[in-house]
Amino acid sequence: MGLLTQILTVPLAPVRGVGWVVRRVTEVAEQEAYDTAPIERRLAELERELLEGRISEREFDRREDELLDRLESIQGAYVADVPATPPGEERAGEAEEGAAAPPRAERTKRRSDAS
């Protein structure tokens, strides 16, 4: 941005600041949503509870299934969000056909529709 543009857009600085905060909050929320470590810790804790006799095998199976389903959904969502090729690079055949990857919002919408 040039000096004149910066001077003329000073009144918009609070809007840009709010936009920056929203982007950072979204990034952190996505990182936490895709983090499998808490589920893996809970699985280990659950196994310890079973070995110590604090829960029945039936309860263990039920809770383990729930945690594994959550883990699988996180990993599936993460894989669906990761592009097959690095951003900016075209896959073979896309350049000729003019087909581009769908925008992220469409991928997210399709993923949520499938759930």
Side-chain angles (χ1 to χ4, degrees):
M1 281 195 289
L3 180 60
L4 183 59
T5 303
Q6 287 181 347
I7 292 171
L8 293 175
T9 60
V10 165
L12 298 176
V15 174
R16 286 193 304 261
V18 169
W20 179 85
V21 169
V22 168
R23 283 191 301 276
R24 292 303 161 279
V25 168
T26 302
E27 287 174 10
V28 170
E30 285 179 352
Q31 288 173 352
E32 288 179 7
Y34 291 139
D35 189 9
T36 60
I39 296 173
E40 292 166 352
R41 282 192 302 270
R42 184 66 189 118
L43 282 168
E45 182 182 321
L46 189 62
E47 186 174 3
R48 243 186 341 271
E49 289 177 7
L50 175 67
L51 295 174
E52 293 171 358
R54 292 190 287 165
I55 60 171
S56 68
E57 208 164 309
R58 185 175 184 180
E59 178 68 11
F60 172 81
D61 288 339
R62 184 185 66 77
R63 289 166 56 185
E64 181 188 40
D65 286 343
E66 289 173 3
L67 290 170
L68 290 175
D69 287 344
R70 284 180 46 202
L71 187 63
E72 187 177 288
S73 69
I74 288 171
Q75 290 171 340
Y78 178 75
V79 169
D81 241 3
V82 175
T85 57
E89 293 183 17
E90 294 177 356
R91 288 179 281 219
E94 280 189 358
E96 299 83 34
E97 298 172 19
R104 182 164 189 245
E106 287 180 30
R107 290 195 316 265
T108 305
K109 182 176 183 231
R110 270 192 257 133
R111 185 177 60 223
S112 65
D113 289 345
S115 300

